[in-house]
Amino acid sequence: MRALTVPKNAVENEPVTLSLEVCSTGANATGPTKAALYRSPGNRVDFNTEPILTIDVPNLNPDQCEILPIEIATACEKFVPNYAFGIVLDSTNILPENDESNNARTGSDILSLTGTFCACNEDAFEPNNRPLEAADIQSGASSLALCD
């Protein structure tokens, strides 16, 4: 595997395309396999989580490379605008290899999303605070509107 190319910027809730470049460097064809795509909030991908997508990787002949486009949906989680990506090639371990340690790769860039729920911004109508009696709120959808 050569690279997982990730765009630097995108708009929340619009699809974005990553590209995976895979190459065969052995003396034999690779046979078809799978790759697992990971996404983590922040600047570091966590390969210990569940993958967000599994991709079919076709058979590659010796010294052949192929670029596979990967289209994914975008959304900000809990006001986090930045996302790291990583990929594990041959995620099902079906290909015979001399070196299994080169199957994971992090993305070329951190994807930075812009959108309504990508950052916690101050109230546009400040100062509009007035003293009130505190009231308990039920957990659920309202918790999504609160910044950490």
Side-chain angles (χ1 to χ4, degrees):
M1 168 174 32
R2 277 209 182 138
L4 174 63
T5 304
V6 177
K8 291 182 180 183
N9 300 296
V11 177
E12 179 185 28
N13 298 323
E14 293 197 11
V16 66
T17 301
L18 288 62
S19 66
L20 173 62
E21 184 176 8
V22 291
C23 298
S24 172
T25 57
N28 299 315
T30 62
T33 188
K34 303 270 185 193
L37 180 68
Y38 295 82
R39 174 180 57 206
S40 301
N43 296 324
R44 189 173 188 171
V45 66
D46 183 357
F47 287 102
N48 295 315
T49 60
E50 287 294 316
I52 64 166
L53 187 65
T54 300
I55 300 125
D56 289 321
V57 178
N59 176 61
L60 296 174
N61 292 318
D63 297 322
Q64 179 185 359
C65 293
E66 185 151 343
I67 296 175
L68 306 172
I70 306 167
E71 187 173 292
I72 60 165
T74 61
C76 291
E77 296 176 18
K78 298 182 182 177
F79 302 104
V80 176
N82 296 328
Y83 294 86
F85 289 85
I87 193 110
V88 174
L89 191 60
D90 190 28
S91 58
T92 53
N93 289 320
I94 59 170
L95 299 180
E97 300 176 74
N98 292 331
D99 184 6
E100 292 282 346
S101 67
N102 63 356
N103 287 352
R105 178 88 41 153
T106 57
S108 61
D109 290 296
I110 301 299
L111 177 64
S112 181
L113 296 176
T114 55
T116 305
F117 298 106
C118 294
C120 189
N121 299 317
E122 283 190 34
D123 185 344
F125 301 103
E126 287 289 345
N128 63 350
N129 301 328
R130 63 179 188 232
L132 293 172
E133 290 294 318
D136 290 330
I137 60 173
Q138 299 296 322
S139 64
S142 62
S143 65
L144 298 175
L146 303 176
C147 299
D148 292 333

